[in-house]
């Protein structure tokens, strides 16, 4: 695997593996894969390998035996009833809740934790809105590494917190939001206390590229018109764009789908700047939304995400918490697919863009549904009807059924 790590802003090569930003311009980093050995091949040549992250090992900057929990290979559901409800030609859901810890973060962690071992690190850490910590805790356990996670106090969904603690991470909640926690972890990593596995670590998005590769493989390489991502810290949408650019550069595909990002209305710095036509953004001070996984005011990969959207003719939009919950329940009750609120933002975004006329009813759209419904049982219970409790008799239960 030949690759170089470069500053995404100024293009300089960065040799020090413990840098997470460009020493010259503070720009974010990116892995540039040397794909020359794949020239003359096609995506079909990978088809004999099992679907999952490591099918795409040629595109990943790892030379050693991976730390894997068999991540990826998640279902792509053709949601015909949802498509009918929304009035669109075709709507697929890539269900990332089916990953080992229940979110797409596992795709990045298998690569990131393997990298940590290659570098001889003993302690890994991250700031997280929840899923990154759950995922890192599991992969660190598998690898035998100590794991430290920083979470915003009181704003982490119960399932995610339980997972991080269950897998034996040192779980620390900080008084502040995700952006504050990330700042502290960055400083700890600079000081050498830990190897940081947030998505500003350029190895994380490399693993997340495979989400987009799988979508294309599952559609037998018939490109969708649009891929829609919920956007928080903004690495995932950029990873998908980077992925398909790599396939495009090899001639494996002949165009790119429109990369479309959805933020929560209370946490939408990139949507705001997209509306102004800007390539940069101003952070939101006090981000707030029920979709805690995307409750991020200062997205570390924000500029990259905007590039992905502009370069492919996509859009950024935002949706309210009500729209998110509505989409979450509609998907559950029409299709039997359970996703967490942040994931449902992608669907709610499609509905809104259709209503506005931004998305055409003739399009074939794929929504990336990033995490499992069980991650956040509290929002489910808060939005479901009441439990029915009766005497243990047939009559009483019949009355309850008919009520
Ligand atoms: C991390 C996460 C996101 C946001 O991904 P970014 O790369 O930060 O934009 C969305 N949904 C879920 C469930 C997540 O865990």
């Amino acid at each position: 695997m030949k690759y170089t790590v470069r500053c995404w802003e100024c293009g300089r090569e960065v040799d020090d593996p413990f840098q997470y930003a460009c020493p010259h311009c503070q720009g974010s980093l990116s892995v540039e894969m040397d794909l020359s050995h794949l020239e003359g091949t096609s995506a079909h040549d990978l088809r004999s390998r099992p679907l999952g992250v490591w099918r795409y090992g040629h595109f990943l900057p790892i030379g050693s035996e991976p730390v894997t929990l068999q991540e990826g290979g998640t279902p792509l559901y053709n949601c015909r009833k949802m498509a009918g409800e929304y009035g669109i030609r075709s709507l697929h859901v890539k269900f990332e809740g089916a990953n080992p810890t229940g979110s797409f973060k596992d795709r990045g962690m298998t690569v990131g934790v393997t990298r940590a071992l290659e570098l001889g690190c003993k302690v890994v850490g991250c700031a997280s809105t929840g899923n990154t910590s759950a995922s890192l805790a599991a992969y660190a356990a598998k690898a035998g590494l100590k794991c430290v996670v920083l979470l915003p106090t009181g704003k982490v969904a119960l399932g995610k917190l339980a997972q991080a603690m269950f897998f034996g991470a040192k779980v620390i909640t900080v008084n502040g939001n995700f952006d504050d926690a990330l700042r502290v972890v960055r400083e700890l990593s600079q000081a050498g206390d830990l190897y940081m596995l947030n998505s500003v670590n350029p190895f994380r998005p490399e693993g997340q590229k495979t989400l987009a590769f799988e979508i294309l493989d599952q559609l037998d390489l018939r490109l969708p018109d649009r891929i829609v991502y919920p956007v928080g810290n903004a690495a995932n949408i950029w990873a998908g764009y980077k992925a398909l650019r790599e396939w495009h550069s090899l001639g494996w595909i002949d165009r790119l789908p429109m990369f479309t990002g959805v933020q929560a209305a209370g946490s939408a710095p990139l949507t705001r700047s997209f509306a102004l036509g800007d390539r940069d953004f101003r952070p939101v001070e006090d981000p707030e939304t029920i979709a805690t996984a995307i409750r991020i005011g200062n997205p570390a990969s924000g500029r990259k995400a905007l590039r992905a959207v502009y370069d492919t003719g996509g859009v950024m939009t935002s949706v309210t918490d009500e729209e998110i919950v509505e989409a979450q329940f509609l998907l559950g009750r029409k299709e039997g697919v359970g996703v967490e609120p942040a994931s449902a933002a992608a669907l709610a975004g499609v509905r809104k863009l259709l209503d506005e006329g931004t998305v055409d009813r003739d399009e074939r759209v794929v929504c990336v549904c990033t995490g499992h419904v069980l991650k956040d049982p509290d929002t489910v219970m808060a939005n479901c009807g009441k439990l029915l409790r009766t005497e243990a008799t047939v009559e009483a239960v019949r009355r309850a059924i008919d009520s």
Side-chain angles (χ1 to χ4, degrees):
M1 296 310 119
K2 283 209 301 199
Y3 62 88
T4 44
V5 176
R6 289 187 184 283
C7 173
W8 184 78
E9 299 284 351
C10 75
R12 281 195 180 86
E13 201 173 325
V14 177
D15 286 329
D16 178 356
F18 299 105
Q19 289 285 349
Y20 304 94
C22 176
H24 302 280
C25 75
Q26 301 310 310
S28 69
L29 306 184
S30 170
V31 174
E32 185 179 286
M33 295 297 302
D34 178 353
L35 301 171
S36 53
H37 64 291
L38 292 173
E39 266 154 36
T41 62
S42 84
H44 295 285
D45 297 327
L46 300 179
R47 282 298 181 89
S48 58
R49 304 171 170 214
L51 190 68
V53 167
W54 295 98
R55 171 186 280 194
Y56 309 100
H58 290 302
F59 295 86
L60 303 177
I62 293 293
S64 59
E65 190 62 31
V67 178
T68 177
L69 294 167
Q70 299 179 31
E71 48 292 315
T74 56
L76 182 71
Y77 295 122
N78 186 355
C79 293
R80 293 196 180 83
K81 285 198 279 178
M82 278 294 272
E85 188 79 24
Y86 283 6
I88 188 168
R89 176 170 155 211
S90 131
L91 182 66
H92 283 79
V93 163
K94 180 68 168 160
F95 180 50
E96 288 293 293
N99 275 295
T101 76
S103 83
F104 75 84
K105 300 298 198 301
D106 295 343
R107 296 178 183 273
M109 283 308 170
T110 181
V111 173
V113 170
T114 305
R115 172 70 174 166
L117 284 187
E118 287 184 355
L119 293 172
C121 302
K122 298 285 182 275
V123 185
V124 290
C126 67
S128 177
T129 59
N131 281 330
T132 301
S133 69
S135 183
L136 181 56
Y139 284 84
K142 175 93 180 177
L145 295 171
K146 183 169 176 185
C147 176
V148 179
V149 305
L150 268 64
L151 306 170
T153 301
K155 293 292 182 178
V156 178
L158 186 61
K160 307 176 187 182
L161 187 59
Q163 283 178 295
M165 299 191 70
F166 173 73
F167 289 121
K170 183 137 284 204
V171 177
I172 302 164
T173 78
V174 299
N175 301 327
N177 57 31
F178 169 83
D179 303 295
D180 299 312
L182 182 59
R183 178 176 42 76
V184 175
V185 169
R186 271 184 191 270
E187 286 175 28
L188 286 170
S189 68
Q190 288 302 305
D193 293 56
L194 49 80
Y195 182 64
M196 179 169 58
L197 278 166
N198 279 96
S199 55
V200 292
N201 181 322
F203 285 72
R204 274 264 320 271
E206 289 303 298
Q208 292 170 201
K209 289 188 307 191
T210 61
L211 203 173
F213 293 150
E214 283 184 13
I215 290 172
L216 263 55
D217 268 343
Q218 288 169 307
L219 293 173
D220 289 321
L221 299 176
R222 286 196 322 267
L223 281 175
D225 297 302
R226 189 182 297 274
I227 305 182
V228 185
Y229 289 79
V231 172
N233 215 23
N236 204 32
I237 187 170
W238 178 73
Y241 163 74
K242 183 174 191 288
L244 299 195
R245 282 254 308 228
E246 288 175 1
W247 279 23
H248 188 255
S249 75
L250 287 168
W252 287 16
I253 50 177
D254 57 13
R255 62 179 175 86
L256 294 191
M258 293 176 271
F259 279 81
T260 297
V262 185
Q263 297 195 291
S267 176
L270 302 179
T271 304
R272 190 170 63 187
S273 71
F274 178 82
L276 300 168
D278 288 349
R279 292 190 165 258
D280 206 347
F281 65 94
R282 271 190 302 120
V284 166
E285 282 302 331
D286 290 304
E288 203 46 83
T289 168
I290 194 175
T292 49
I294 53 173
R295 184 176 169 272
I296 294 176
N298 187 15
S301 300
R303 285 168 56 82
K304 290 172 165 169
L306 286 167
R307 169 83 63 85
V309 169
Y310 284 122
D311 276 11
T312 59
V315 295
M316 289 288 318
T317 191
S318 66
V319 290
T320 64
D321 284 0
E322 294 71 43
E323 291 167 328
I324 288 172
V325 171
E326 194 223 330
Q328 183 191 21
F329 275 76
L330 195 63
L331 183 69
R333 291 177 179 188
K334 290 271 177 207
E335 303 284 351
V337 178
V339 304
E340 65 168 284
S343 313
L347 288 162
V350 170
R351 165 163 269 180
K352 180 173 172 186
L353 293 169
L354 277 163
D355 290 348
E356 287 174 4
T358 310
V359 168
D360 197 281
R361 302 209 173 266
D362 210 35
E363 284 185 24
R364 295 165 62 240
V365 171
V366 176
C367 276
V368 176
C369 284
T370 43
H372 201 285
V373 65
L374 291 176
K375 292 284 191 172
D376 190 354
D378 294 325
T379 54
V380 172
M381 296 311 284
N383 291 288
C384 279
K386 276 224 179 67
L387 270 173
L388 301 173
R389 180 173 174 177
T390 74
E391 298 307 315
T393 66
V394 167
E395 298 75 43
V397 172
R398 277 205 186 112
R399 270 198 307 278
I401 291 171
D402 293 337
S403 72

